[in-house]
Amino acid sequence: MGDSKLAGQFFDAAIGLLQRVRDEEAASIEAAGTMIADTVADGGRLFAFGAGHSSLAAQDLVYRAGSLALMNLLAVPGAVGVDVMPATLGSALERVDGLASAVLDSSPARSGDLLVVISLSGRNALPVEMAMSARALGLRVIGVTSVVYASETASRHSSGTYLKDHCDVVLDSKIAIGDAELSLDAIPAPFASASTVVTSALLQSVMATAAGVLADRGVEPPLLRSGNVDGGLEWNDRVFKEYGDRIFYWQG
């Protein structure tokens, strides 16, 4: 089998997942986008959290051209990516009780804000506790996860629950358990992950919905422009100054 055929199979798999998410999650996408718009209009702040590779989709929303300037990354030290040594430490930290609450309690997040929690499996202590603690503080929570994990894997949180159990809105990425779309007789392990592609697209659709809802209400969405287009930096500077009290990655 040629490499190009495998490449085509991966694109087909990713496109199929995107179509499923578009069609099956439309109501949840609308609800999540509306919830974000409500938070922006009501003076709340926006946060996104994901551990390990799930953090990629969270970071894709922060300080990003075409995205809402109010989206802040909620970072857990050692769990933001694969930059820790050894990389397996990040995975281990996802299973530690108490870490999420400690991070949330020391963050600017408060009642009336909104937190997006991204976890493919939704089974580890860190994302489950993050969602639970956020709701206890009065935040609204949007969870992005693959719901099938909850039916075929055991929770690693002491409550026995999953991320999906502690959210105001759940966005199901439909990713199969194991996060690998392709297999081949000559290769002993499945390969080619699609979760980042699908989760990022899902969240960008939510942000597009939020911008549209705000516009329909006569509110200009606080969007960022690319700093690599003429006038982009000046535009962003204006947005930062106007909304500076709700943006924590910028200091004016």
Side-chain angles (χ1 to χ4, degrees), residues 148-165:
V148 70
Y149 272 85
S151 63
E152 298 187 31
T153 67
S155 170
R156 288 173 173 157
H157 188 261
S158 56
S159 66
T161 60
Y162 300 79
L163 170 59
K164 71 175 185 63
D165 300 318

Side-chain angles (χ1 to χ4, degrees), residues 225-246:
R225 290 181 180 269
S226 171
N228 297 315
V229 299
D230 291 343
L233 294 175
E234 292 78 10
W235 172 281
N236 292 344
D237 191 52
R238 176 184 65 82
V239 174
F240 288 153
K241 288 178 180 176
E242 185 173 350
Y243 292 94
D245 60 333
R246 299 156 76 181

Side-chain angles (χ1 to χ4, degrees), residues 28 81 118 124 131 138 157 194 197 215-216:
S28 295
I118 306 159
N124 286 312
H157 188 261
V197 173
D216 287 344

Side-chain angles (χ1 to χ4, degrees), residues 125-178:
L126 191 53
V128 173
E129 183 184 309
M130 189 69 78
M132 292 176 69
S133 299
R135 292 184 91 185
L137 286 174
L139 279 77
R140 285 172 283 193
V141 176
I142 296 171
V144 189
T145 187
S146 177
V147 171
V148 70
Y149 272 85
S151 63
E152 298 187 31
T153 67
S155 170
R156 288 173 173 157
H157 188 261
S158 56
S159 66
T161 60
Y162 300 79
L163 170 59
K164 71 175 185 63
D165 300 318
H166 305 284
C167 301
D168 297 284
V169 177
V170 175
L171 300 169
D172 185 1
S173 65
K174 319 290 183 180
I175 299 295
I177 291 176

Side-chain angles (χ1 to χ4, degrees), residues 171-191:
L171 300 169
D172 185 1
S173 65
K174 319 290 183 180
I175 299 295
I177 291 176
D179 189 20
E181 292 299 318
L182 302 183
S183 60
L184 198 61
D185 289 343
I187 301 176
F191 54 99

